[in-house]
Amino acid sequence: CDLGCGVGSLAIPLAQKGATVSASDISNAMATEASKRAAAAGITTATFETSDMENVSGEYDTVSCIDVMIHYPQEKMAEMVQGLANRADKRLIVSFAPDTWYYRALKSFGELFPGPSKTTRAYLHTEEAVVAALEKAGFKLSRTEMTGTSFYFSRLLEAERA
């Protein structure tokens, strides 16, 4: 299950490798584009729907939620992780914008230019807080990685049911 699937950047390659994928995004435009991309690639083992994470049902071997935590304030993050855990039988894969001096500076700079920028609405999380939420939800950290582009990076955590 790929929650917050965007345009299918993770779900489509997983399906191409043989996985059966259920994916959703809160944005209808994103879910629709993901569905179109999957169809164009001949993918029949991935389904895409428009839904917020709280309304997704079912249980899955693995639940991924990549770069969605940035939209959840610290006080809601553990609740979000518990919701993901309720859907995962074996594994959770999550990523988040880490609370670093770099991102705090970027947010402060963005606040100098009020407007529709997402920068000021982005929530940062410490790795310790995310790991604690995973452990409270019954998962044990099994792997950590960094992901990144030229200007953005995130922390990727893989956890298995304890």
Side-chain angles (χ1 to χ4, degrees):
C1 181
D2 185 15
L3 298 174
C5 69
V7 296
S9 299
L10 178 61
I12 292 170
L14 287 173
Q16 287 172 323
K17 291 190 179 289
T20 300
V21 182
S22 175
S24 69
D25 199 280
I26 197 167
S27 164
N28 184 55
M30 292 286 203
T32 299
E33 178 63 24
S35 187
K36 288 178 185 175
R37 289 180 182 196
I43 302 294
T44 59
T45 57
T47 58
F48 298 89
E49 66 177 32
T50 303
S51 178
D52 61 17
M53 290 191 305
E54 292 79 12
N55 290 314
V56 170
S57 60
E59 291 183 12
Y60 306 91
D61 286 338
T62 300
V63 172
S64 65
C65 188
I66 307 301
D67 291 337
V68 176
M69 262 188 224
I70 200 166
H71 303 293
Y72 284 78
Q74 186 65 42
E75 63 273 9
K76 300 268 186 192
M77 182 272 296
E79 184 180 318
M80 175 211 172
V81 169
Q82 183 62 58
L84 299 173
N86 291 343
R87 304 273 161 260
D89 289 335
K90 298 177 183 174
R91 178 180 299 112
L92 268 176
I93 301 170
V94 298
S95 71
F96 58 95
D99 188 356
T100 65
W101 68 267
Y102 172 77
Y103 277 145
R104 283 192 304 275
L106 190 61
K107 277 182 60 86
S108 295
F109 183 72
E111 289 168 359
L112 298 174
F113 305 94
S117 170
K118 291 183 178 183
T119 304
T120 56
R121 294 188 314 260
Y123 296 100
L124 307 176
H125 302 283
T126 65
E127 184 169 344
E128 295 78 15
V130 178
V131 169
L134 288 166
E135 290 174 349
K136 184 177 179 186
F139 284 78
K140 180 181 174 189
L141 189 64
S142 59
R143 186 170 62 122
T144 64
E145 298 286 336
M146 291 298 290
T147 65
T149 65
S150 58
F151 73 95
Y152 174 78
F153 63 93
S154 65
R155 192 72 166 146
L156 182 73
L157 304 180
E158 179 179 353
E160 297 176 357
R161 180 136 333 251

